[in-house]
Amino acid sequence: MLKPLVVCCFSVIVCALERRQRIRAPSDMAEDERTSHNATRLEESFTIHLGAQLKTTHNLRILCADVLDLCRHKLNKVGGLIVPQPQRLQTAMSLYSNSLSGMVLLVDNRLNSYTGIKREFARLCGESTDFHFPDLESQFETIRQDGLRANEWRAVQKAEQNLERISSSSTLSCGSSHETQQKEGKQKNLQTGDFYITRHSNLSEVHIVFHLVVDSAVYGADVTSRHPVIMGLRNILKIACRYDITTLTVPLLLVHEMSEEMTIPWCLKRAELVFKCVKGFMIESTSWGGSETNTLQFLVPKEISEEAFTAFCQMSPQVFRVSNPLVLNASS
């Protein structure tokens, strides 16, 4: 009498396990996806020298990946247990050191985390608790207040420049300029080339994130070395040298995703522009003081073709002075 009962109980347990396997929670499925997803990425490294008399050595890396992969924690299973990668421990140990890691994230001019890549970045920041810095929304609130003061200062500077060109005897022109100054001083949105900084201790590979404001003009072909986004990169490198950010990741094409108009000639022209501008900024950084940017990573979108990635790697030694190894032939 006991044998049929045991078989019946065993079949019920099997059915329950199969049903539990089919109706797993989405969080469990996402966790399995994170642990099983270990996609390889294209990467190439160089050692370069900058300067004529006083040479400085830097590490240059070109990698093809999603920009948020530098923030996302990748979990591994070791012996059935889920453990974080050693990269997270290394990032945590260098939090209060003189070798911080930074990243440039391209955003729009609205200071929020509601849409696009900003929403995904905010979700990654909220996956774990930050015990060292305020949460992302608290940092945004502080930046909003600073942004208002920056816009007021910018409006005052613009009004003073206009008054130098316009005769101060005209009451009408002075009144209109005063109204324009008040209107521009109350603007909350940022301008192209502006950037704001957030600090994090719970991300995978970065401590500092530079949110660089861009517009639709970066998708065109008329971006020059005097474009506000390029000048924003210069200011970011200046901040990195001043505050011990020795590893910095920069989007090589000034975009995070590929589009139809981004042909290989367009990509090569944009990459050459960014390479040459960043080289000039790094040479100029020797006069800024502070620490040097030892490692500079150029990030290209993950949708880039292997042909274009190879062309970027071949272009880099032509722009930068690459350190060649000394080969010695043993004589008989």
Side-chain angles (χ1 to χ4, degrees):
M1 296 294 295
L2 295 177
K3 186 174 181 180
L5 182 60
V6 172
V7 173
C8 181
C9 292
F10 179 74
S11 61
V12 171
I13 294 174
V14 171
C15 293
L17 291 175
E18 291 178 352
R19 183 173 180 273
R20 185 173 177 229
Q21 184 72 16
R22 289 194 300 268
I23 61 173
R24 288 184 304 169
S27 60
D28 297 337
M29 298 177 65
E31 181 177 335
D32 290 347
E33 184 179 357
R34 289 174 59 189
T35 56
S36 61
H37 180 69
N38 290 318
T40 58
R41 61 188 184 188
L42 298 175
E43 187 173 332
E44 189 73 24
S45 300
F46 305 91
T47 301
I48 63 173
H49 296 295
L50 295 177
Q53 297 179 352
L54 184 60
K55 296 182 180 180
T56 57
T57 303
H58 306 269
N59 296 321
L60 193 70
R61 183 178 296 118
I62 304 175
L63 55 93
C64 178
D66 187 0
V67 62
L68 294 181
D69 286 345
L70 302 177
C71 307
R72 186 178 292 111
H73 292 293
K74 306 173 184 64
L75 302 180
N76 294 329
K77 282 188 176 181
V78 178
L81 299 177
I82 298 178
V83 296
Q85 286 189 341
Q87 180 65 40
R88 183 172 186 178
L89 179 60
Q90 179 182 355
T91 305
M93 293 178 62
S94 59
L95 179 61
Y96 291 98
S97 67
N98 294 329
S99 57
L100 300 175
S101 299
M103 179 188 74
V104 178
L105 185 67
L106 304 178
V107 297
D108 55 25
N109 62 348
R110 296 184 297 272
L111 190 55
N112 55 44
S113 57
Y114 300 147
T115 59
I117 195 172
K118 297 186 296 184
R119 181 174 60 181
E120 180 65 18
F121 175 75
R123 187 188 67 82
L124 293 176
C125 293
E127 284 187 349
S128 59
T129 305
D130 196 326
F131 294 101
H132 298 266
F133 304 110
D135 58 5
L136 187 62
E137 188 58 35
S138 299
Q139 296 189 47
F140 277 174
E141 184 61 31
T142 303
I143 295 171
R144 290 188 186 98
Q145 302 300 324
D146 294 338
L148 289 175
R149 289 193 293 269
N151 286 333
E152 292 176 359
W153 178 85
R154 184 180 293 163
V156 170
Q157 296 296 321
K158 186 176 181 180
E160 291 179 355
Q161 293 177 1
N162 292 335
L163 288 177
E164 292 178 357
R165 293 192 298 262
I166 302 175
S167 175
S168 59
S169 60
S170 176
T171 307
L172 180 61
S173 63
C174 291
S176 61
S177 64
H178 181 68
E179 293 177 358
T180 304
Q181 175 182 341
Q182 290 182 342
K183 183 179 180 180
E184 293 180 352
K186 295 181 181 179
Q187 288 182 355
K188 296 182 179 180
N189 292 340
L190 302 175
Q191 298 182 8
T192 303
D194 294 342
F195 65 91
Y196 51 93
I197 302 172
T198 56
R199 303 165 296 166
H200 310 273
S201 66
N202 57 344
L203 300 182
S204 177
E205 301 182 32
V206 293
H207 307 105
I208 308 294
V209 178
F210 297 93
H211 304 255
L212 179 60
V213 178
V214 298
D215 55 6
S216 58
V218 296
Y219 294 95
D222 55 349
V223 176
T224 62
S225 59
R226 305 302 299 176
H227 192 273
V229 176
I230 298 295
M231 302 310 297
L233 284 179
R234 177 185 179 274
N235 295 329
I236 289 175
L237 281 172
K238 192 172 184 179
I239 294 296
C241 293
R242 186 174 298 175
Y243 294 101
D244 297 331
I245 303 175
T246 58
T247 301
L248 184 63
T249 303
V250 177
L252 180 59
L253 303 180
L254 302 181
V255 294
H256 289 317
E257 295 179 354
M258 299 295 295
S259 58
E260 296 180 356
E261 65 270 12
M262 297 179 188
T263 59
I264 292 183
W266 185 95
C267 294
L268 294 178
K269 181 180 178 181
R270 177 63 57 83
E272 183 180 7
L273 171 67
V274 176
F275 275 148
K276 291 183 177 179
C277 291
V278 170
K279 177 185 177 181
F281 299 154
M282 294 177 69
I283 295 176
E284 186 183 1
S285 66
T286 56
S287 62
W288 293 339
S291 60
E292 299 176 354
T293 304
N294 296 330
T295 302
L296 189 63
Q297 298 184 142
F298 290 102
L299 187 70
V300 297
K302 61 180 180 180
E303 301 90 0
I304 201 75
S305 63
E306 189 172 352
E307 179 183 359
F309 183 82
T310 304
F312 297 153
C313 298
Q314 294 175 353
M315 182 187 301
S316 178
Q318 300 175 2
V319 177
F320 298 92
R321 183 181 301 175
V322 179
S323 176
N324 295 322
L326 180 61
V327 180
L328 299 178
N329 296 323
S331 60
S332 59

Coordinates of all heavy atoms in Angstrom, one line a residue, residues 239-268:
I239 N 39.7 68.7 -15.4 CA 39.2 68.3 -14.1 C 39.9 67.0 -13.7 O 40.2 66.8 -12.5 CB 37.7 68.2 -14.1 CG1 37.0 69.6 -14.3 CG2 37.2 67.6 -12.8 CD1 37.3 70.5 -13.2
A240 N 40.0 66.1 -14.6 CA 40.6 64.8 -14.3 C 42.1 64.9 -13.8 O 42.5 64.3 -12.9 CB 40.6 63.9 -15.5
C241 N 42.8 65.8 -14.5 CA 44.2 66.1 -14.0 C 44.2 66.7 -12.7 O 45.2 66.5 -11.9 CB 44.9 66.9 -15.1 SG 45.2 66.2 -16.6
R242 N 43.3 67.6 -12.4 CA 43.3 68.3 -11.1 C 42.9 67.5 -9.9 O 43.3 67.7 -8.8 CB 42.4 69.5 -11.2 CG 42.4 70.5 -10.1 CD 41.6 71.7 -10.4 NE 42.1 72.5 -11.5 CZ 41.5 73.5 -12.0 NH1 40.3 74.0 -11.5 NH2 42.0 74.2 -13.0
Y243 N 42.1 66.4 -10.1 CA 41.5 65.7 -9.0 C 41.9 64.2 -9.1 O 41.1 63.3 -8.7 CB 40.0 65.9 -8.9 CG 39.6 67.3 -8.6 CD1 39.2 68.1 -9.6 CD2 39.6 67.7 -7.3 CE1 38.8 69.5 -9.3 CE2 39.3 69.1 -7.0 CZ 38.9 69.9 -8.0 OH 38.5 71.2 -7.7
D244 N 43.0 63.9 -9.6 CA 43.6 62.5 -9.5 C 42.7 61.5 -10.1 O 42.6 60.3 -9.7 CB 43.8 62.1 -8.0 CG 44.9 63.0 -7.3 OD1 45.7 63.5 -8.0 OD2 44.8 63.2 -6.1
I245 N 42.1 61.8 -11.3 CA 41.4 60.8 -12.0 C 42.3 60.3 -13.1 O 42.5 60.9 -14.2 CB 40.1 61.4 -12.6 CG1 39.2 62.0 -11.5 CG2 39.3 60.4 -13.5 CD1 38.0 62.7 -12.0
T246 N 43.0 59.2 -12.9 CA 44.1 58.7 -13.7 C 43.6 57.8 -14.8 O 44.4 57.5 -15.8 CB 45.1 58.0 -12.9 OG1 44.5 56.9 -12.2 CG2 45.8 58.9 -11.9
T247 N 42.4 57.3 -14.8 CA 41.8 56.5 -15.8 C 40.5 57.1 -16.3 O 39.6 57.4 -15.5 CB 41.5 55.1 -15.3 OG1 42.7 54.5 -14.8 CG2 40.9 54.2 -16.4
L248 N 40.4 57.4 -17.6 CA 39.3 58.1 -18.1 C 38.8 57.4 -19.4 O 39.6 57.1 -20.2 CB 39.6 59.6 -18.4 CG 38.5 60.5 -18.9 CD1 37.4 60.6 -17.8 CD2 39.0 61.9 -19.3
T249 N 37.5 57.2 -19.5 CA 36.9 56.6 -20.7 C 36.1 57.6 -21.4 O 35.2 58.3 -20.9 CB 36.0 55.4 -20.3 OG1 36.7 54.5 -19.5 CG2 35.4 54.7 -21.5
V250 N 36.5 57.8 -22.7 CA 35.9 58.8 -23.6 C 35.2 58.2 -24.8 O 35.8 57.2 -25.4 CB 37.0 59.8 -24.1 CG1 36.4 60.8 -25.0 CG2 37.6 60.5 -22.9
P251 N 34.0 58.5 -25.2 CA 33.4 58.0 -26.4 C 34.1 58.5 -27.6 O 34.2 59.8 -27.9 CB 32.0 58.5 -26.3 CG 32.0 59.7 -25.4 CD 33.1 59.4 -24.5
L252 N 34.7 57.6 -28.4 CA 35.5 58.1 -29.5 C 34.7 58.8 -30.6 O 35.2 59.8 -31.2 CB 36.2 56.8 -30.1 CG 37.2 57.1 -31.3 CD1 38.3 58.0 -30.9 CD2 37.7 55.8 -31.8
L253 N 33.5 58.3 -30.9 CA 32.7 58.9 -32.0 C 31.7 60.0 -31.4 O 30.9 60.5 -32.2 CB 31.9 57.8 -32.7 CG 32.8 56.7 -33.3 CD1 31.9 55.7 -34.0 CD2 33.8 57.3 -34.3
L254 N 31.8 60.3 -30.1 CA 30.9 61.3 -29.5 C 29.5 60.8 -29.6 O 28.5 61.7 -29.5 CB 31.1 62.7 -30.1 CG 32.5 63.3 -30.1 CD1 32.5 64.7 -30.7 CD2 33.0 63.3 -28.6
V255 N 29.2 59.5 -29.7 CA 27.9 58.9 -29.7 C 28.0 57.6 -29.0 O 29.1 57.0 -28.9 CB 27.3 58.8 -31.1 CG1 27.0 60.1 -31.8 CG2 28.2 57.9 -32.0
H256 N 26.9 57.1 -28.5 CA 26.8 55.8 -27.8 C 26.2 54.7 -28.6 O 26.3 53.6 -28.3 CB 26.1 55.9 -26.5 CG 26.9 56.7 -25.4 ND1 28.2 56.5 -25.2 CD2 26.5 57.6 -24.5 CE1 28.6 57.3 -24.2 NE2 27.6 58.0 -23.8
E257 N 25.5 55.1 -29.7 CA 24.8 54.2 -30.5 C 25.0 54.6 -32.0 O 25.1 55.7 -32.3 CB 23.3 54.1 -30.2 CG 23.0 53.6 -28.8 CD 21.5 53.6 -28.6 OE1 20.7 54.1 -29.4 OE2 21.0 53.1 -27.5
M258 N 25.0 53.5 -32.9 CA 25.2 53.8 -34.3 C 23.9 54.1 -34.9 O 22.8 53.7 -34.5 CB 25.9 52.5 -34.9 CG 27.2 52.2 -34.4 SD 28.5 53.4 -34.7 CE 28.6 53.3 -36.5
S259 N 24.0 54.8 -36.1 CA 22.8 55.1 -36.9 C 23.1 55.0 -38.3 O 24.3 54.7 -38.7 CB 22.3 56.6 -36.6 OG 23.3 57.5 -36.9
E260 N 22.1 55.2 -39.2 CA 22.3 54.9 -40.6 C 23.3 55.8 -41.3 O 24.1 55.4 -42.2 CB 21.0 54.9 -41.3 CG 20.0 53.9 -40.9 CD 18.7 54.0 -41.6 OE1 18.5 55.0 -42.4 OE2 17.8 53.2 -41.4
E261 N 23.4 57.1 -40.8 CA 24.3 58.0 -41.5 C 25.7 57.9 -41.1 O 26.6 58.5 -41.7 CB 23.8 59.4 -41.2 CG 23.9 59.9 -39.8 CD 22.6 59.6 -39.0 OE1 21.8 58.9 -39.5 OE2 22.5 60.1 -37.9
M262 N 26.0 57.0 -40.1 CA 27.4 56.8 -39.7 C 28.1 55.7 -40.5 O 28.2 54.6 -40.1 CB 27.4 56.4 -38.2 CG 26.8 57.5 -37.3 SD 26.8 56.9 -35.6 CE 25.9 58.3 -34.8
T263 N 28.5 56.2 -41.7 CA 29.3 55.3 -42.6 C 30.7 55.2 -42.1 O 31.2 55.9 -41.2 CB 29.2 55.8 -44.0 OG1 29.8 57.1 -44.0 CG2 27.8 55.9 -44.5
I264 N 31.5 54.3 -42.7 CA 32.9 54.1 -42.3 C 33.7 55.4 -42.6 O 34.5 55.8 -41.7 CB 33.5 52.9 -43.1 CG1 32.9 51.6 -42.5 CG2 35.0 52.9 -42.9 CD1 33.4 50.3 -43.1
P265 N 33.5 56.1 -43.7 CA 34.3 57.4 -43.8 C 33.9 58.4 -42.7 O 34.7 59.1 -42.2 CB 33.8 57.9 -45.2 CG 33.5 56.6 -46.0 CD 32.9 55.7 -45.0
W266 N 32.6 58.4 -42.4 CA 32.1 59.3 -41.3 C 32.8 58.9 -40.0 O 33.3 59.8 -39.2 CB 30.6 59.3 -41.1 CG 30.0 60.2 -40.2 CD1 29.5 61.4 -40.4 CD2 29.9 60.0 -38.7 NE1 29.1 62.0 -39.3 CE2 29.3 61.2 -38.2 CE3 30.2 59.0 -37.9 CZ2 29.0 61.3 -36.9 CZ3 30.0 59.1 -36.5 CH2 29.4 60.3 -36.0
C267 N 32.9 57.7 -39.7 CA 33.5 57.2 -38.4 C 35.0 57.5 -38.4 O 35.5 57.9 -37.4 CB 33.2 55.7 -38.3 SG 31.5 55.2 -38.0
L268 N 35.7 57.3 -39.5 CA 37.1 57.6 -39.6 C 37.4 59.1 -39.4 O 38.3 59.4 -38.7 CB 37.7 57.0 -40.9 CG 37.7 55.5 -41.1 CD1 38.2 55.1 -42.4 CD2 38.4 54.8 -40.0

